[in-house]
Amino acid sequence: MIIESLKSLYNRDLNKLKTEIESYRNETAIWKTDKNISNSAGNLCLHLVGNLNNYIGAELGKTGYIRNREQEFSLKDIPQAELIEKVTATVDMVDDVLSQLTPEDLEKEYPLAVFGDTMTTGYFLIHLITHLDYHLGQINYHRRLLDI
């Protein structure tokens, strides 16, 4: 049951991310920063895609994804359509990997000590959804403040 709930939440919130990126009327605004807003929506989107492809795709799904976290925050002016494609591919990847997990897998130790300590896979998957939602909220405010 928890796996189906996680799949549903990731699907819901990644599709909200896609909707946020699609909702920018001015494509260049995706990459704006201003005063105390140091990360653009585009960079936050790349960060979320990279984060999930690394921690869910590469670690749990053995997808072969290789993360370049520095580029998640340094790349600029990637077309809106390409960002949307990346999010769509991430939706599919997360669903595929979570579909392969068993309830017993959620109780196992996550393969990496991400915060310098061990945790269960289930705990870390919950953490990752809260991380997604934190940045999703930032993107929503970014769009409403800077897409003018």
Side-chain angles (χ1 to χ4, degrees):
M1 167 147 163
I2 187 77
I3 293 171
E4 290 305 314
S5 295
L6 286 168
K7 285 172 54 177
S8 175
L9 290 168
Y10 277 103
N11 185 285
R12 179 195 71 187
D13 295 345
L14 282 166
N15 277 299
K16 283 183 183 177
L17 173 59
K18 187 166 65 167
T19 298
E20 284 296 332
I21 299 300
E22 288 170 338
S23 295
Y24 277 83
R25 295 174 308 226
N26 179 353
E27 189 168 347
T28 60
I30 294 170
W31 299 98
K32 280 186 183 178
T33 57
D34 185 49
K35 296 179 191 140
N36 293 325
I37 301 172
S38 57
N39 291 314
S40 71
N43 289 119
L44 290 172
C45 180
L46 291 172
H47 173 60
L48 290 168
V49 165
N51 189 61
L52 295 174
N53 274 283
N54 183 59
Y55 290 125
I56 294 178
E59 289 301 322
L60 297 177
K62 306 301 180 209
T63 61
Y65 179 83
I66 301 192
R67 186 178 192 185
N68 186 334
R69 190 176 189 281
E70 184 179 306
Q71 282 190 345
E72 294 168 15
F73 293 99
S74 64
L75 290 174
K76 303 291 180 216
D77 302 323
I78 293 172
Q80 188 175 25
E82 188 176 333
L83 290 174
I84 293 164
E85 288 172 14
K86 289 177 182 294
V87 175
T88 300
T90 303
V91 171
D92 294 340
M93 177 280 299
V94 168
D95 191 66
D96 289 345
V97 172
L98 293 183
S99 293
Q100 298 170 26
L101 296 180
T102 66
E104 293 77 27
D105 291 330
L106 298 181
E107 297 303 318
K108 292 178 184 173
E109 186 177 303
Y110 185 74
L112 297 176
V114 179
F115 305 116
D117 201 3
T118 61
M119 67 194 100
T120 66
T121 297
Y123 178 92
F124 193 54
L125 288 170
I126 293 168
H127 163 77
L128 290 173
I129 193 83
T130 63
H131 175 261
L132 166 62
D133 290 338
Y134 175 77
H135 288 311
L136 180 59
Q138 288 179 316
I139 291 169
N140 174 269
Y141 262 81
H142 180 279
R143 180 180 55 77
R144 292 188 286 142
L145 288 169
L146 299 178
D147 187 28
I148 48 176

